């Protein structure tokens, strides 16, 4: 249980994460965690589906649930007292859900519909494929599942999966906002004190070979995705990498934005960012462009990645630091952002970083460190996925 | 100039709105305000395009610009001191932009690309069409413009449009966060004191006839949009309507969500909401569904709208009040949200509502008021737009 008191706010946010992510979906049952995350909300404890939904809205919670690589995540934000009251009902949801047959059918149908909708959203489709191709199996699996697996999934299997993965070991309850630590600890003990169990390990296959994939799609735009390895979050070079990426893709003065969008008007949307698994880090980039400019965009994107290795300027680094820190200050004022951040830190690092610590680490990075790092670490090997009508020529990857 | 001091935050947000919206784009020049909003950022005052972008990022601003029906809007958020420093440069942007030829070509190209991308996003396409069909011309025009108009647009026309619409009369500068009112007033006077000019009125055509439109699209999902008239924001029944809509579509206990998604699993996504022009209000609804469930979804959606007129329960009203108020408290802690809200209030009402006032108005609404209103105001006449492969049968609109 993690807790951060934020002075000056009336609200609080809660994040409850359970070790039920897409990587751990049993073989042939992809999407199982997603169906389960919908199903557990259809009645829990003494409340049937309708009563449960009504009660959560009676508390005025802004809530969401999502499934990632490692976890299922239930989040809620509201005036602080309501968030504390919600702990009892979330305890029911994750420990005593009803898992009704009718709810299962509906939850599975919705998962299938959501999956079908991806065909109409080529950008989202691209990002799903990029993760699948880039990450070692099963870390790149689509949390939404696959059609055949979802169709074959049964309620009995979902119940089995619930018993195996909605467990205490590896779960995190995080609270941030107008929260008293002792109150929070007592409430967590009362509602989750008897929560037990642990889930199995996820067998990992070797990293897939580097690949270049073209997914034909009758679309007006071509969507381009690139991924390549980077340091993990606990690496000493982590802050160096974050600032280098900010120079590449942060704000509107980032190189991708100025070179590809502002100067050449090749794309409406372009970005790159750092993303991590527990034991590895990656950089991913995206560009969406008209079909006739797709090749130029891909070439220009890769050229900018190599040009970064030639070094950045002190002014670029200064802007990057300002941008990352300003963003941190803004997020530090949001109970939901802060709550998500402390849960993430604890999972990745086993401890919580203060905003002050992050600021000091960023400030300590010098332009020599960044340039030395960039010189020693040329980007690649690349995973490249193209969704669009025409195949593209693989750029000159040195 | 509007200003709200928010205790307990380090950040501030700024919104600068100018009377250059899509409704006022000159005839045959749709999209002009959008191109202009991109173009003014390509060099202003003593800074060329690159220097301007670098400086804005040096300030660490999270910024955006957008074009709506009435206005072009420039927004920025950051640690408070940086937001105050940004006023000088935004003063350059809206009063002394360079409007370079090369920047114009790029800005227009980007607008055309953005427009082409809509073909890959049937949901967004639907919402654009719904506004076009529902609102009286020119209020329903797509701010992104039309292809032929954008292609014909010249730099000389953009400059003419800049002179006519980037003017002080009808502009609003709003600040919220860690802001001292006297400082803000002095800074506004220094940077915007000599800003003058006023723009012409927008000639409005009568409300278009009620319509039912099917836009054929080879998509996996059918996208359904409905719009119908409601009260304007300054109407005494406004809060009554907001709470009725919350019962219909708020949270996850809202009727659309429980009846269409939870019970019948007809849709993955469904919502309805209140939206307003200055002199009128509307309700709009959306559902995205698989092609074979589209007719059932439309029928069920319309049936729920009529069923609402039979009345709501005290428990539903209580949840609706809690939901709207909790949402308000969360938004009240965000400098960006609060800044946008005070600018909106001033434009719509000529004054700013405090959160306390809104809370009192909501609390005062009784279930009898809501039910009386709903009995007297059956929904319709409807504007309905369908984007998908198959036409649907118009439901029985009583």
């Amino acid at each position: 249980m993690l807790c951060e008191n934020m002075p000056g706010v009336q609200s609080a946010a809660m994040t409850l994460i359970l070790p039920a992510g897409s990587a751990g979906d049993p073989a042939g049952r992809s999407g199982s965690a997603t169906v389960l995350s919908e199903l557990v909300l259809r009645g829990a404890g003494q409340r049937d589906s309708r009563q449960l939904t009504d009660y959560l809205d009676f508390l005025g919670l802004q809530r969401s649930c999502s499934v990632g690589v490692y976890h299922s995540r239930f989040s809620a934000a509201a005036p602080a007292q309501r968030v504390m009251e919600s702990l009892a009902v979330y305890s029911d949801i994750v420990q005593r859900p009803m898992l009704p047959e009718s709810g299962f059918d509906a939850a599975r149908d919705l998962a299938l519909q959501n999956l079908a909708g991806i065909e109409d959203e080529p950008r989202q489709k691209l990002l799903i494929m990029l993760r699948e191709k880039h990450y070692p199996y099963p870390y790149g699996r689509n949390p939404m599942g696959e059609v055949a697996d979802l169709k074959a999934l049964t309620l009995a299997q979902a119940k089995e999966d619930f018993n195996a993965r909605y467990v205490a070991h590896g779960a995190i309850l995080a609270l941030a906002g107008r929260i008293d630590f002792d109150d929070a600890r007592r409430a967590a003990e009362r509602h989750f004190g008897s929560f037990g169990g642990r889930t199995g390990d996820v067998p990992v296959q070797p990293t897939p070979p580097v690949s270049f994939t073209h997914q034909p799609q009758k679309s007006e735009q071509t969507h381009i995705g690139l991924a390549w390895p980077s340091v993990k979050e606990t690496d000493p070079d982590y802050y160096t990498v974050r600032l280098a990426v900010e120079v590449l893709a942060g704000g509107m003065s980032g190189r991708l934005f100025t070179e590809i969008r502002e100067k050449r008007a090749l794309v409406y949307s372009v970005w790159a960012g750092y993303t991590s698994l527990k034991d590895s880090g990656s950089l991913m980039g995206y560009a969406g462009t008209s079909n006739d400019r797709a090749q130029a965009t891909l070439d220009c994107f890769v050229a900018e990645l190599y040009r970064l290795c030639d070094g950045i300027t002190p002014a670029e680094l200064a802007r990057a630091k300002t941008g990352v820190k300003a963003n941190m200050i803004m997020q530090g004022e949001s109970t939901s952002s802060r709550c998500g951040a402390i849960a993430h830190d604890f999972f990745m690092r086993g401890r919580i970083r203060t905003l002050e610590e992050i600021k000091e680490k960023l400030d300590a990075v010098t332009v020599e460190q960044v340039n030395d790092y960039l010189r020693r670490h040329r980007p690649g090997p690349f995973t490249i996925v193209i969704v669009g009508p025409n195949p593209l020529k693989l750029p000159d990857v040195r």
Side-chain angles (χ1 to χ4, degrees), chain A residues 87-376:
Chain A
L87 294 179
V89 65
Y90 276 104
S91 150
D92 282 342
I93 288 167
V94 304
Q95 295 179 76
R96 291 169 293 278
M98 291 177 176
L99 309 177
E101 182 82 47
S102 62
F104 173 77
D105 293 341
R108 195 183 52 170
D109 266 13
L110 288 171
L112 281 163
Q113 283 205 53
N114 194 20
L115 194 55
I118 297 301
E119 292 303 314
D120 290 343
E121 304 198 19
R123 180 183 359 202
Q124 203 182 340
K125 184 172 172 180
L126 169 93
L127 295 173
I128 289 169
M129 288 185 64
L130 186 62
R131 296 176 65 88
E132 272 175 3
K133 301 284 179 189
H134 177 65
Y135 283 131
Y137 186 88
Y139 292 119
R141 286 165 104 187
N142 179 4
M144 297 159 81
E146 291 174 25
V147 174
D149 287 358
L150 285 171
K151 284 189 173 161
L153 193 68
T154 65
L155 175 59
Q157 290 170 335
K159 285 182 175 172
E160 194 179 287
D161 199 27
F162 171 79
N163 289 327
R165 297 202 286 160
Y166 273 52
V167 295
H169 187 84
I172 298 173
L173 172 65
L175 293 156
R178 192 185 187 89
I179 296 283
D180 177 80
F181 185 80
D182 287 330
D183 282 355
R185 196 189 49 195
R186 274 191 298 271
E189 275 168 10
R190 185 161 63 249
H191 299 303
F192 295 95
S194 62
F195 193 27
R198 69 180 296 153
T199 191
D201 291 335
V202 172
V204 183
Q205 295 177 11
T207 309
V210 175
S211 67
F212 183 68
T213 309
H214 171 239
Q215 170 73 34
Q217 172 111 0
K218 283 182 191 155
S219 54
E220 293 294 317
Q221 301 252 304
T222 297
H223 302 266
I224 299 170
L226 301 94
W228 63 103
S230 184
V231 300
K232 59 183 181 175
E233 276 198 44
T234 49
D235 190 287
D237 281 327
Y238 169 71
Y239 295 95
T240 304
V241 168
R242 286 307 286 259
L243 290 168
V245 173
E246 186 76 8
V247 171
L248 179 69
M252 295 183 191
S253 65
R255 290 187 180 187
L256 291 177
F257 211 80
T258 53
E259 296 298 322
I260 304 182
R261 185 184 195 277
E262 302 294 311
K263 280 194 197 160
R264 303 188 57 186
L266 285 169
V267 301
Y268 192 79
S269 169
V270 59
W271 54 257
Y274 176 86
T275 176
S276 56
L277 296 177
K278 184 143 187 178
D279 298 313
S280 65
S282 296
L283 298 171
M284 289 193 180
Y286 165 83
T289 180
S290 58
N291 298 329
D292 58 337
R293 300 182 208 209
Q295 185 70 54
T297 299
L298 175 59
D299 295 345
C300 194
F301 200 122
V302 171
E304 284 304 321
L305 297 182
Y306 286 117
R307 193 169 71 85
L308 194 68
C309 299
D310 299 340
I312 65 169
T313 67
E316 284 180 315
L317 181 62
R319 276 200 305 276
K321 287 184 178 180
T322 307
V324 174
K325 287 189 288 186
N327 197 18
M328 257 173 50
I329 289 172
M330 305 302 293
Q331 291 188 350
E333 290 179 356
S334 154
T335 53
S336 297
S337 295
R338 198 57 204 140
C339 186
I342 66 178
H344 176 87
D345 264 10
F346 190 80
F347 175 64
M348 284 289 180
R349 296 175 174 80
R351 67 184 189 89
I352 296 172
R353 294 172 300 165
T354 61
L355 293 181
E356 192 56 36
E357 175 190 343
I358 301 173
K359 186 174 165 298
E360 281 169 16
K361 291 275 172 60
L362 290 167
D363 281 335
V365 175
T366 64
V367 72
E368 290 75 24
Q369 280 174 328
V370 176
N371 287 340
D372 182 54
Y373 177 88
L374 289 169
R375 208 163 30 237
R376 288 184 291 110

